Amino acid sequence: MPGQLVTVQVGQCGNQLGFDFFAALARESGREVEDESALRPQPLHQHISTLFRETPRSRGRDGGRSCCSTARAVLLDAEPRVIANVAARAAPSAPLSQQWQYTDTAEELQRVWKSVGASGSANNWAFGYYRQGEALGACALEMVRKEAEHCDRLSGFLFFQSLSGGTGSGAGSRISELLRDEYPCSF
C-alpha cells in the first residue's frame, strides 16, 4: 500500500495551483469511475487515497450518510480571502463522483491573521520569511500534524508555492524548513 502525501499550499499562487491540482485529480478520478465498464486500467482511481481521504458528509437527500473526498492539504496565507475563495470553489457543482472539499482551517488561522494583520507581504520575500513565516510557523506545524494523523503512513509533503514574491516564497521557505526539522524522515 502506498503512503500518503500531505499537500502544503502557501500564498495566493500556491493555493490557486493546489486547487487546480486537486480539481484535476478529482475530475480524472471521476472519469475513471464512470468508465469502469470500459475495462481500462485505473491507476489514478486506485491510488487516489494518496492525496485524498474519505470523510462522512451530513445526511444526503436519501436520508443516509454519504462520503466526500477531502484533500490531504494545508492551506496557508496571510490573506483570509484567498483561502476562503479557494475553499469555496472546491467542486460544489461537480458530479457526485468528482466532488471533493478542503478541511476547514479558518479557526486555526484566525489568531495568525490577528497577529500579522490580514494582508499580504507586498512582494517582499524578507517580510514573508521573517514576519509572516514566523507567525504562520507554529500554526502550520499544528495543521500539518492534524492532517498527518489522518494518514496511515506519511510518505512526504507536496509543496505549492511561488518562487518569487512574499508570502508564498518567503513564508513557504520558512515553513518548509520547519517541516524538514519536524519530519526529517518524510521530507
Side-chain angles (χ1 to χ4, degrees):
M1 178 174 171
Q4 290 84 29
L5 297 173
V6 172
T7 304
V8 181
Q9 302 172 196
V10 187
Q12 183 171 359
C13 175
N15 280 296
Q16 290 172 345
L17 284 172
F19 169 79
D20 287 339
F21 174 75
F22 282 112
L25 283 176
R27 206 170 34 253
E28 291 300 316
S29 176
R31 282 191 193 131
E32 296 292 340
V33 170
E34 291 166 6
D35 294 341
E36 238 173 44
S37 61
L39 298 175
R40 292 183 347 174
Q42 301 171 18
L44 185 61
H45 181 62
Q46 291 172 353
H47 300 291
I48 200 74
S49 66
T50 301
L51 293 160
F52 287 96
R53 59 185 164 88
E54 293 300 316
T55 54
R57 263 196 274 192
S58 58
R59 300 221 177 259
R61 285 178 241 164
D62 60 354
R65 289 191 152 281
S66 59
C67 282
C68 180
S69 295
T70 300
R72 295 183 191 276
V74 173
L75 284 66
L76 299 166
D77 197 0
E79 297 182 61
R81 69 170 176 78
V82 172
I83 293 176
N85 288 343
V86 168
R89 289 176 43 209
S93 61
L96 189 59
S97 64
Q98 299 175 21
Q99 288 185 359
W100 63 281
Q101 65 188 7
Y102 282 113
T103 303
D104 184 27
T105 58
E107 198 172 296
E108 288 94 350
L109 289 170
Q110 288 295 331
R111 65 180 172 79
V112 175
W113 293 329
K114 288 177 184 173
S115 70
V116 176
S119 65
S121 56
N123 217 21
N124 184 334
W125 184 91
F127 185 78
Y129 184 87
Y130 291 106
R131 177 86 166 118
Q132 292 178 335
E134 188 173 318
L136 283 170
C139 180
L141 287 175
E142 179 62 18
M143 291 168 64
V144 167
R145 182 194 61 76
K146 286 180 181 178
E147 197 59 48
E149 287 177 354
H150 291 290
C151 297
D152 293 330
R153 187 173 68 97
L154 178 64
S155 289
F157 301 99
L158 180 60
F159 264 81
F160 288 106
Q161 67 186 78
S162 69
L163 297 178
S164 63
T167 305
S169 63
S173 297
R174 179 68 168 245
I175 291 165
S176 67
E177 289 176 0
L178 293 171
L179 288 174
R180 182 191 62 212
D181 293 343
E182 190 74 20
Y183 299 91
C185 294
S186 296
F187 207 85

